[in-house]
Amino acid sequence: MKKIIFTITAMLSVFIASAQSSLTQAEYFWDTDPGQGLATPILATDGSFNSAFEQLSKTGIALPSVGLHVFNVRVKDNVGTWGPVFKSVVSVQTTLGNTDFELSGLTVYPNPVKNTLNFSYSHDITAVTVYNFLGQQVLSKSLQTNESGIDLSELTSGTYYVKVQSQDKAKTIKIIKE
């Protein structure tokens, strides 16, 4: 039986206009915003959003398909105002208890990278895809080699996610572009 336990740790902060503002509700959604109040509700671990840091947990969260997705969280204050959406890119991967599904032995360097990000693996790398922090694809390259590089010089400085594929295996790596 497959049991998914998904723990979300979020820094919940509110710019408080008055001493009586507080958080009363939180919700999450994947990728597409269904609208304020229409996403999946999240309950605080202790039943109250009474601190700036809450550990939010839920068992049985339906995950999106395998790949990169944008996980979104938003909170509501006690006067009914929804705050901004906090976003994070998440790599959803199938876990069957076998580490061979990831590309063990894949080498990606340098990280941080200035211009060219290099790859090497024992089998042919078939594709490299680069995503920005919002999960948007910014670069893609098809390959058929076990050693290669990808030119990132045109990208702005920041955090990116690089998905490297070889045959039916894939691995996503977080990189820093200087």
Side-chain angles (χ1 to χ4, degrees):
M1 174 177 218
K2 187 175 179 181
K3 182 177 180 183
I4 297 175
I5 298 175
F6 192 83
T7 302
I8 308 155
T9 305
M11 178 67 89
L12 302 175
S13 61
V14 174
F15 295 98
I16 299 175
S18 72
Q20 297 186 357
S21 291
S22 62
L23 299 179
T24 60
Q25 191 176 344
E27 63 183 11
Y28 79 90
F29 57 93
W30 293 100
D31 302 319
T32 305
D33 190 345
Q36 295 176 342
L38 300 175
T40 305
I42 303 174
L43 301 175
T45 304
D46 63 358
S48 172
F49 294 102
N50 58 359
S51 80
F53 182 82
E54 290 285 353
Q55 171 107 6
L56 307 173
S57 301
K58 185 170 180 172
T59 301
I61 290 178
L63 296 174
S65 61
V66 172
L68 289 177
H69 295 276
V70 180
F71 179 77
N72 302 270
V73 175
R74 108 175 104 225
V75 296
K76 183 177 177 182
D77 66 17
N78 62 332
V79 293
T81 304
W82 285 98
V85 176
F86 299 93
K87 299 176 180 220
S88 182
V89 176
V90 175
S91 175
V92 176
Q93 300 177 0
T94 303
T95 303
L96 299 176
N98 185 342
T99 57
D100 290 339
F101 279 86
E102 287 194 17
L103 301 179
S104 319
L106 172 69
T107 304
V108 179
Y109 61 95
N111 191 8
V113 59
K114 288 185 182 182
N115 294 315
T116 303
L117 187 64
N118 299 298
F119 307 92
S120 66
Y121 184 55
S122 56
H123 296 91
D124 279 355
I125 296 169
T126 55
V128 176
T129 309
V130 180
Y131 299 90
N132 65 17
F133 195 70
L134 297 175
Q136 300 163 324
Q137 181 179 316
V138 294
L139 192 60
S140 184
K141 185 175 182 181
S142 294
L143 304 166
Q144 285 299 323
T145 182
N146 64 345
E147 275 189 43
S148 186
I150 190 166
D151 182 15
L152 302 179
S153 62
E154 297 295 318
L155 298 179
T156 60
S157 298
T159 302
Y160 292 87
Y161 295 90
V162 178
K163 181 178 179 183
V164 181
Q165 293 176 269
S166 177
Q167 301 166 349
D168 61 344
K169 301 174 187 177
K171 184 169 188 171
T172 302
I173 299 129
K174 180 178 173 181
I175 64 157
I176 305 296
K177 167 70 168 79
E178 293 181 334

